[in-house]
Amino acid sequence: MPSRVSVPAEPAVAAATDAAPDLHDRELRGLALALTDDAGFRLAIATFEDARIRDVLIDRLAARLTAAGTMLSCLDVASLVPPDERVARQEFSLLAALRRHYEGLAAGQPGTKIAISVVGLEHFISEFSEGGLNALATANLQRELFPQACPLPVVLWLPPWATTLLAQKAPDLWHWRTATFDFPSVGSPPSALAAWPEFTREEWWRPVDGERLGELAAELEALRQREGTDTSPRARAYAAHLRVRLADALYTRGQLDEAFNLLKEAGAIFAALGDVRYVAVTMGKIADTLVLRGQLDEALRILKEKVLPAFEPLGDVRSRAVTMGKIADVLQARGQLDEALRISKEEELPIYERLGDVRERAVAMGRIAGILQARGQLDEALRIRKEEQLPVYERLGDVRSRAVTMGNIAGILQARGQLEEALRIRKEEVLPAFERLGDVHSRAVAMGQIADILQARGELDEALRIRKEEVLPPFECMGDLAECAVTMGKIADILQARGELDEALRIRKEEVVPVFERLGDVHARAATMGKIADILARRGQLAEALRILKEEVVPVFERLGYVREIAVGRANLAITLLKRNKPGDRAEAKRLLCLALADASRLRLPEAATIEKVLADAGFTCD
């Protein structure tokens, strides 16, 4: 059977891998974790730019796995078929190669924990020769057979162009992967098109640290200075892709205006190149940015008029399904839960079922569960999370998605008042998973969710300690302004609950609102102003509280189209009017409460019950 013999790395190659130890080490650590699980077949993708550096990285990976009690067996599929046997190369089957390799390992290494590293697949892939995509098409058709043929974790090492073709030409196999790892060469010039595969919905926006953000920004700045010297289509496409990568990183950090501007630049380049698909992908990301900026109507218009029509002529049913999911997300944010649910059930889910894409079906089921939870249908939402989503990620060995789903289950239990079990899940199932993955950002988010439960249990001191010591510092180190502002807002919530109104007010005014203003997050600013109005009302400053609600909260949500927030804002405005109780205040409060109840009831929002109680307590009935 083919085996790989390690040879000393060339000095230049070793120097190149040593030049970016942090970047490569982070990816190697994640890849090693993905390959040391006992869950059977799992597929990881590792993208490299230099085969010599790839070999050095494989040696380092093998050393990591050996230390963890796992043997790494390398399968060089290029050695299976002589280069001149063209027909045999066209008939190559990755499934058959893995089956033979596994059978040999099972016979020769019984009881040994093994992972398989596959190299050389790019030699069987070509867009420009007859039958050059047969290997990918065959692997795609045979995707259901891989777990039985090779019940071991597998990593495919591919150059960027081959990774792109795998995503495009074998989409069903592509969506079976647990993760993708990137091992760029250090200092490589943009002499060729860098092909970034499209992200799945769960990977679409992933946080990056400040160092990586700085690297992307520096590369783009250097590229801007050279753009006039190379105007070839490949160089321009590289420049557009780099803008998208940097926009992704900025988006995760809440720097929405910068991300939006970069995406507009990238879209213009793709349009000039006539790349219809990437124009649509970029417009979809622009819509994501608009959603966080609170511009729901414009986001919805782009998705319906720009993105969806672009994929339909291409016959790209998968991208159409992804776009329908985004439309459902916007509708859910607007409070149009029934229509969001209909789209998810009737126009998104069936496509993934027809394609046999178990991962994306699980993601769509998770969206349906989220909508049901927003409608207060907690039992059905919990059933879907436990029975339709969680088992899929466990079967795929997707540790991250399983942890996220367990967190969603804890959220439902918390909403049902089952705080003890929710806390146990977050402490014992969610937090350790992110710690094993080395995901600092997700760990901080999980700690914040633990603090939420402790706060709900009245353990305010411990909740405050966690926010200050376990949540805020990681976000500050990462330079994540948005998460820092959110965390400071949560700290203000705890202080407000402890009766420390002055400090809570100061934090919101001086440390939260200015950040959201700088980031261009209109929705978050309006929500924070609503909380400032609440503090002012508690302090008896009703006139200023009413002014804020009338001028800086309700009108903003009305303009943005957030129906749930409109209903809540009107109800809070009515409650404040009832507290002031000047002539005419009760009549206006009744009008606002009835409007809020009508919207909440029509959209089946759980807030309807609270609004009904306020009406009853005030002695009001709606016509």
Side-chain angles (χ1 to χ4, degrees), residues 135-150:
L136 293 182
T138 301
N140 200 51
L141 290 171
Q142 295 175 333
R143 65 191 181 280
E144 300 283 353
L145 303 177
F146 279 84
Q148 293 77 35
C150 181

Side-chain angles (χ1 to χ4, degrees), residues 546 549-550 554 568-578 592:
L546 285 169
L549 289 168
K550 288 179 178 179
V554 175
V568 172
R570 286 172 175 167
N572 288 334
L573 179 53
I575 291 168
T576 309
L577 286 169
L578 290 172
L592 290 168

Side-chain angles (χ1 to χ4, degrees), residues 215-535:
E215 291 170 357
L216 290 169
E219 183 178 359
L220 179 59
E221 181 57 32
L223 197 62
R224 287 184 193 275
Q225 296 175 7
R226 297 196 303 269
E227 278 179 332
T229 62
D230 186 353
T231 58
S232 68
R234 294 178 74 82
R236 291 162 67 197
Y238 183 96
H241 281 293
L242 183 58
R243 283 170 168 83
V244 172
R245 296 273 310 256
L246 182 55
D248 287 349
L250 291 168
Y251 176 100
T252 64
R253 299 160 70 89
Q255 295 172 246
L256 304 180
D257 288 345
E258 297 96 322
F260 180 80
N261 292 333
L262 284 170
L263 290 170
K264 285 186 68 177
E265 291 177 15
I269 296 172
F270 287 132
L273 292 171
D275 192 332
V276 177
R277 173 180 295 280
Y278 270 107
V279 168
V281 170
T282 305
M283 290 303 295
K285 294 194 172 202
I286 286 174
D288 286 345
T289 306
L290 291 171
V291 168
L292 278 198
R293 285 170 59 168
Q295 298 171 253
L296 298 185
D297 290 344
E298 179 62 9
L300 191 60
R301 184 192 68 79
I302 287 174
L303 291 170
K304 286 184 173 180
E305 298 179 12
K306 301 288 187 182
V307 182
L308 201 60
F311 290 130
E312 289 176 339
L314 296 173
D316 188 343
V317 293
R318 184 183 300 279
S319 294
R320 183 186 187 280
V322 170
T323 306
M324 292 307 299
K326 285 175 169 288
I327 289 172
D329 288 340
V330 177
L331 292 173
Q332 182 178 352
R334 288 174 58 168
Q336 297 173 250
L337 302 183
D338 288 348
E339 179 62 7
L341 187 61
R342 184 198 67 78
I343 287 174
S344 296
K345 282 185 171 180
E346 299 177 12
E347 301 200 46
E348 182 189 12
L349 188 64
I351 292 175
Y352 295 133
E353 290 176 337
R354 285 199 303 273
L355 292 172
D357 189 334
V358 292
R359 175 187 293 279
E360 287 299 325
R361 181 188 184 279
V363 173
M365 289 303 299
R367 178 176 299 103
I368 289 170
I371 297 170
L372 293 173
Q373 183 175 349
R375 284 171 48 165
Q377 297 174 249
L378 301 184
D379 290 347
E380 178 60 8
L382 185 61
R383 185 198 67 78
I384 289 173
R385 295 285 189 194
K386 285 184 171 181
E387 299 178 13
E388 304 271 2
Q389 195 175 25
L390 190 64
V392 174
Y393 297 136
E394 290 176 338
R395 191 164 65 250
L396 293 174
D398 187 338
V399 178
R400 182 184 302 279
S401 296
R402 182 189 184 278
V404 170
T405 304
M406 289 302 298
N408 289 327
I409 289 171
I412 297 173
L413 295 173
Q414 185 174 345
R416 287 169 51 165
Q418 298 173 249
L419 300 184
E420 293 297 329
E421 179 60 8
L423 186 61
R424 185 199 67 77
I425 288 173
R426 293 205 184 278
K427 283 185 171 180
E428 299 178 13
E429 304 267 1
V430 180
L431 193 64
F434 291 132
E435 289 174 340
R436 286 197 303 272
L437 291 170
D439 188 338
V440 178
H441 184 278
S442 296
R443 182 192 184 277
V445 171
M447 287 302 300
Q449 291 164 338
I450 288 171
D452 285 338
I453 298 175
L454 294 174
Q455 184 175 347
R457 285 174 30 163
E459 300 177 46
L460 300 184
D461 290 346
E462 178 61 8
L464 185 61
R465 184 199 67 77
I466 288 174
R467 292 280 180 204
K468 287 183 173 181
E469 299 178 12
E470 305 271 1
V471 181
L472 191 60
F475 292 142
E476 289 177 332
C477 288
M478 296 171 69
D480 193 328
L481 298 179
E483 290 287 8
C484 285
V486 169
T487 303
M488 289 306 299
K490 295 278 192 178
I491 288 172
D493 287 340
I494 298 172
L495 294 174
Q496 184 173 338
R498 284 173 31 164
E500 301 176 47
L501 300 185
D502 289 347
E503 179 62 7
L505 184 62
R506 185 200 67 77
I507 288 173
R508 294 199 194 283
K509 283 185 171 181
E510 299 178 12
E511 302 196 47
V512 181
V513 170
V515 175
F516 290 136
E517 288 175 341
R518 190 159 68 249
L519 295 175
D521 192 334
V522 182
H523 178 277
R525 183 191 184 278
T528 304
M529 291 305 297
K531 293 193 172 188
I532 288 174
D534 181 49
I535 295 176

Side-chain angles (χ1 to χ4, degrees), residues 110-166:
T112 304
K113 192 174 181 181
I114 301 173
I116 299 177
S117 180
V118 178
V119 300
L121 184 60
E122 65 270 23
H123 296 290
F124 299 90
I125 304 173
S126 172
E127 276 189 297
F128 309 109
S129 62
E130 182 181 355
L133 299 175
N134 287 3
L136 293 182
T138 301
N140 200 51
L141 290 171
Q142 295 175 333
R143 65 191 181 280
E144 300 283 353
L145 303 177
F146 279 84
Q148 293 77 35
C150 181
L152 299 175
V154 174
V155 54
L156 290 182
W157 293 82
L158 295 169
W161 63 267
T163 303
T164 299
L165 286 178
L166 177 66

